[in-house]
Structures are given as structure tokens and as C-alpha cells.
Amino acid sequence: MSQQEPVWSVSAINKAVKDTLENCFMPFWMGGEVGSLLLHRSGHAYFQMKDEASQIKVCWFGGAAECRKLGVDNGSMVEVRGNLSVYTVRGEYQFNVKELRIAGMGTLQQQFELIKRKLQAEGLFDRSRKKPLPLRPQTIGIVSSPSGAAVRDFLQILYRRFHHIQVKIFPAQVQGTGAVKELCDGIKFFNRTGQADVIVITRGGGSMEDLWCFNDENLARTIAASNIPVVSAVGHEIDFTICDFAADLRVPTPSAAAELVIGSQEDLGNRVERAFREIKFATERRFMELDSRLNRLAAKVEYYEPAKVAERFAQRIDELEMRAQNAWISASNKLSAKLDNLDARLYALSPERQLERGYTIVYNGDGTQIVTSSQQTPGTELQIRFADGKLKVVSQ
């Protein structure tokens, strides 16, 4: 009996194709036009890349945010780097993206601008992130090639001014393969051990290709994450790298780095003298304020002293007494004048004054009652009072 041929499942076939396809192609760059772009809420990007004759499905896991930053849209011409794979669920092969750039961004300058815009958009270069350099660093950590001219220039300027400053060098390549990792390791070393107050990452000048390791995104992020201030002194004055923007301070040359990091004895002396003058002025002004305040308080104490208070009250009492006396005299004069006026008026209305004017008063015979009527019994005795005396008469 002949041996029966094996029966493959669909999943097994797709897996075998996937393994074969992925093992046959190394990662490579592919260029084309973007179509059917979908930026999924999961953070992945799905689209097609096509040319005038064909198309292929593309997947970029975690690439949605990067597509937005780069402005990728339907119709964009892009170049992607990655590998071929198979989506076994549907039995479809696709291109898995690891890196994407806008078509034409292949030159170093274009890549530089792309990285710069990306990190700047993340706020990695913001001034608010910059850390101040220490006034008097005791130890300076240098990340560079120990045999390079940059380190020699730095140390020459440094020890010309201050001999007691301690310098620790973390040896690192400053060009070529492996340079980025060693530069990052140097910054991490000083942060981990705390053996430096400030870090200087430096190398001499060169072409953009020579300095390219200092444009690496990972190096920029390592510099930005450093707890110790980082000074970038890469290349010549006209050279700019991503490292310069990420560092806390950028200086044009290694020599300038030494001058700015440590300063000069003269500068330090001037700063100390200026600080002394400011402290002296502030102290004198404070003493003047306190003296003035003390004088005000002393005046208040004297004002409320018991003897002073008694004197002020005694003077007040004397003043009130004099005012009361004056008021009494004034009131007495007014009362006396009023009484005299009333007395005069009473006198003018008195019976004696009427008698003096020629009037008389008639009384009964014994002078006890005034007679006000002429109707009297004939023979009745009456008395008539004049101003100068009385006269007895008999009625008719």
C-alpha cells in the first residue's frame, strides 16, 4: 500500500510561507506613494505603498504619532525601511515598517532637519528644561576621546586658570560605529556615580559625516535626561549638532567650554567683589531702616511714659477748669443783666410807680380792702392813698 501524502492546514501553510519569506529578505528600504492611510487609535499606522504598476500593504506598529508629526497623508511620497512579513490570519503578505522618512530626505542635512523638528516638537529643546551650571564646580566630567585635540585644548585652558580643579575623562569614540553608544554610556556613568558637577561632551571640528554621531536621537534624549548639567562643545563655531540643542549650554569650541565652565580668576574676583558691595549696601540700608524704626518706637514709649501722660492730663484739667470759669463768669453776667431788666420791668408795673404818675388807690375805712366801685352807702368811711400819703373821706 502506498504511503498517503500529508494534508496541510491553512494555518500551517501561512506560517511556513511567513517563515520562508521573513528569512529570505534582510531589512531594506522601499519607496513609493502612500494610499488608503489609516492611523488607528491603537497607535498603529496602516496604508498601502504603490507605484505606477503595483501596490503592497504596509503596517507600522506604533507609527501613527510619527506619521502625524511628519505630515504623512494619502499621496505622500515616502521611503520606508523594514522587512517583508505575512499576516497569517488572512494569508496576506505585507511590509512591516521600522523607520520612515519623506522621500528625498536621504541626505544628511535633510535627516538633521527631520530629527531636529521631531525633538523640538516634543519640547526637548525648551529653555525651561535647561539646568544652570554650578558656580564653582569641583569636578568636571569629560566625555570624549582622551587622545583628541579637543580634550587637550580644554585641559590647557582649564589648568592655566585653576590648577586644583579635578577632571575625570570617560573615554568614548567621537566618530563612526559605536560612537553613539559610548557617548551615551559616558553621560549615564557620571549621572549614576555622581562623580561630576558638570559634564562636557566634546570633539574637534570635521565634516557633517564626521560629526554625525552627535546628531543621533538617542544621544539627544540621553543628554536631555541627565540630572547633571551638560555642556556641548562639538566642532567649530559654525558647526551645529542636535547635541548642541539638547544640552544645557552650547559653546562654539572646546577652549570656549573650559572658559565658560570654570570662568577666570578675575571674573570670579569681580563677582565676589560685586556680591560684597551688594551685601554691604543691603546691610547698611537695613540698619538705617531698623534705626528709623527704633527712633519711632522710642518716641512712642516717651509719649506714653506715666509722667508725660500725667503732665498732659494735668494741662488738660487746667484748660477745662479755665474754660468752666470763663463760662460761669459769662453766664453770671448774662443772668445779672437779665435780672436787672426784669427788675426794671417789675418796677414799671408796680402800684407805687402808678401812684407817682398821679393815680390813687381807694381802700375801705380800716385800709384792709381795695374799693373798686363807686356804689357806696352814704356816710361810709374810705381811705384814699396818694404817692405821698393817705387821706380819710366819707362817701356822699
Side-chain angles (χ1 to χ4, degrees), residues 37-256:
L37 176 64
L38 171 62
L39 302 180
H40 200 273
R41 64 182 180 181
S42 63
H44 307 320
Y46 304 96
F47 53 95
Q48 292 180 348
M49 285 186 67
K50 55 187 179 179
D51 55 22
E52 62 277 1
S54 300
Q55 65 181 26
I56 183 174
K57 289 188 176 181
V58 177
C59 176
W60 190 5
F61 295 107
E66 191 67 19
C67 284
R68 292 188 182 95
K69 291 179 182 178
L70 295 175
V72 177
D73 204 347
N74 291 322
S76 297
M77 299 300 296
V78 299
E79 296 171 350
V80 292
R81 185 177 186 278
N83 60 281
L84 290 172
S85 182
V86 174
Y87 183 43
T88 57
V89 176
R90 293 198 182 97
E92 298 174 343
Y93 89 99
Q94 64 187 27
F95 188 90
N96 289 346
V97 177
K98 301 298 182 184
E99 186 178 354
L100 181 147
R101 65 191 181 199
I102 304 300
M105 293 296 290
T107 67
L108 291 181
Q109 184 60 40
Q110 290 171 327
Q111 292 181 47
F112 174 87
E113 295 297 334
L114 182 62
I115 296 172
K116 179 182 175 183
R117 286 199 300 270
K118 175 184 176 181
L119 298 181
Q120 190 170 27
E122 293 182 19
L124 210 69
F125 306 152
D126 289 354
R127 185 175 296 275
S128 60
R129 296 174 59 95
K130 306 300 183 184
K131 296 176 285 296
L133 269 61
L135 178 63
R136 288 292 305 276
Q138 300 300 312
T139 305
I140 300 174
I142 299 179
V143 181
S144 185
S145 171
S147 60
V151 172
R152 290 197 301 271
D153 292 345
F154 183 92
L155 294 177
Q156 183 180 8
I157 298 297
L158 182 68
Y159 288 127
R160 183 187 302 168
R161 298 188 173 187
F162 290 98
H163 299 285
H164 65 279
I165 297 298
Q166 187 176 11
V167 176
K168 295 190 175 182
I169 301 176
F170 186 95
Q173 298 181 62
V174 291
Q175 183 177 339
T177 305
V180 171
K181 181 180 184 306
E182 293 184 5
L183 292 171
C184 291
D185 288 344
I187 295 172
K188 292 177 181 177
F189 168 81
F190 285 118
N191 274 271
R192 184 175 64 255
T193 62
Q195 294 185 17
D197 302 312
V198 61
I199 300 172
V200 178
I201 182 169
T202 183
R203 70 149 284 165
S207 65
M208 193 167 197
E209 289 79 4
D210 295 336
L211 302 178
W212 188 248
C213 61
F214 293 93
N215 293 320
D216 186 83
E217 180 179 336
N218 290 330
L219 177 58
R221 295 187 185 279
T222 301
I223 292 173
S226 174
N227 294 320
I228 301 173
V230 177
V231 177
S232 175
V234 178
H236 296 304
E237 188 168 356
I238 61 173
D239 297 323
F240 278 90
T241 65
I242 299 298
C243 175
D244 294 331
F245 298 108
D248 298 294
L249 177 67
R250 184 259 177 183
V251 290
T253 63
S255 299

Side-chain angles (χ1 to χ4, degrees), residues 236-282:
H236 296 304
E237 188 168 356
I238 61 173
D239 297 323
F240 278 90
T241 65
I242 299 298
C243 175
D244 294 331
F245 298 108
D248 298 294
L249 177 67
R250 184 259 177 183
V251 290
T253 63
S255 299
E259 294 175 353
L260 291 174
V261 168
I262 200 61
S264 66
Q265 288 280 13
E266 182 180 357
D267 293 338
L268 184 60
N270 292 337
R271 294 172 69 178
V272 172
E273 184 178 353
R274 184 168 60 252
F276 177 77
R277 288 198 303 268
E278 292 176 355
I279 293 173
K280 181 180 179 183
F281 174 77

